[in-house]
Amino acid sequence: MQAALDASLGPGAVFYDVGGGIGLYSLLAARKGARVLVFEPHPDNAPCISRHARLNGLESSIQVIPMAAHSVSGQIIMEFVQHGSQMAQSGSDDNGRQKTLRIPCVTLDEFSQTQPPPTLVKVDVEGAESEVLKGAVRLFERVRPRLICEVHDAENGRYVMEWLVARRYSARWLEPPGQEHHLFGEPAGASFG
């Protein structure tokens, strides 16, 4: 995954880091000279990314977007998972669950209308990858960025693969057979280093 990121970014590139976590890939991209727009709705992780950017002298290259990228713009309900460091969509209402938050969300199609278009989009959203891509159809048809997508289950894997192929992208797994987790997509005819 780091090799794909490294080969896809450099000075002047724009990286959309959807599901930034604590900012590892955002920092790597900024060090390569890319402008980074990182989507991180978790109320603890978003300030952590800003702090890491500041500590590494990269705050001018990394902009934290404290919202989720999704298939619709508005709000979604998310719940904390895995010891509270990650979030996943929980449905249309919180049904009295504890540790849920109403999170603002935006489609990448809408977001990219007022922001620089991406060279590369990385999606790691704990099983909601198909929802992110549903809100990015126009962006991928118009701009044709590369995609690195962490896939969390077979259903999402099929959806992402079919979504890429339908848009004339080549797609391949970055890991060896049996260990597939990250799909890499690029416009057909492009060459990945």
Side-chain angles (χ1 to χ4, degrees), residues 16-86:
Y16 284 13
D17 188 355
V18 180
I22 60 169
L24 172 66
Y25 294 107
S26 291
L27 292 170
L28 292 173
R31 285 207 183 282
K32 291 282 298 179
R35 177 170 179 203
V36 178
L37 301 160
V38 55
F39 294 81
E40 181 50 61
H42 195 289
D44 295 332
N45 290 351
C48 183
I49 296 168
S50 295
R51 185 174 71 251
H52 289 157
R54 197 170 43 258
L55 289 172
N56 286 278
L58 298 169
E59 63 269 25
S60 65
S61 299
I62 298 175
Q63 179 182 351
V64 178
I65 315 298
M67 56 189 340
H70 202 61
S71 57
V72 296
S73 294
Q75 292 189 339
I76 55 173
I77 302 293
M78 298 186 84
E79 63 183 271
F80 292 95
V81 295
Q82 295 183 356
H83 309 295
S85 65
Q86 296 176 324

Side-chain angles (χ1 to χ4, degrees), residues 130-143:
S130 59
E131 293 302 315
V132 172
L133 295 179
K134 288 174 188 175
V137 171
R138 290 190 316 270
L139 171 65
F140 274 78
E141 290 176 351
R142 180 176 49 88
V143 177

Side-chain angles (χ1 to χ4, degrees), residues 122-173:
K122 187 244 357 163
V123 177
D124 179 2
V125 291
E126 307 310 312
E129 42 274 21
S130 59
E131 293 302 315
V132 172
L133 295 179
K134 288 174 188 175
V137 171
R138 290 190 316 270
L139 171 65
F140 274 78
E141 290 176 351
R142 180 176 49 88
V143 177
R144 318 262 315 140
R146 290 178 169 174
L147 173 73
I148 298 173
C149 187
E150 183 167 314
V151 175
H152 290 267
D153 57 66
E155 183 179 335
N156 272 302
R158 280 189 300 277
Y159 181 90
V160 174
M161 184 70 78
E162 291 169 6
W163 190 92
L164 287 166
V165 169
R167 280 153 192 81
R168 299 178 326 278
Y169 271 68
S170 62
R172 65 181 177 85
W173 293 102

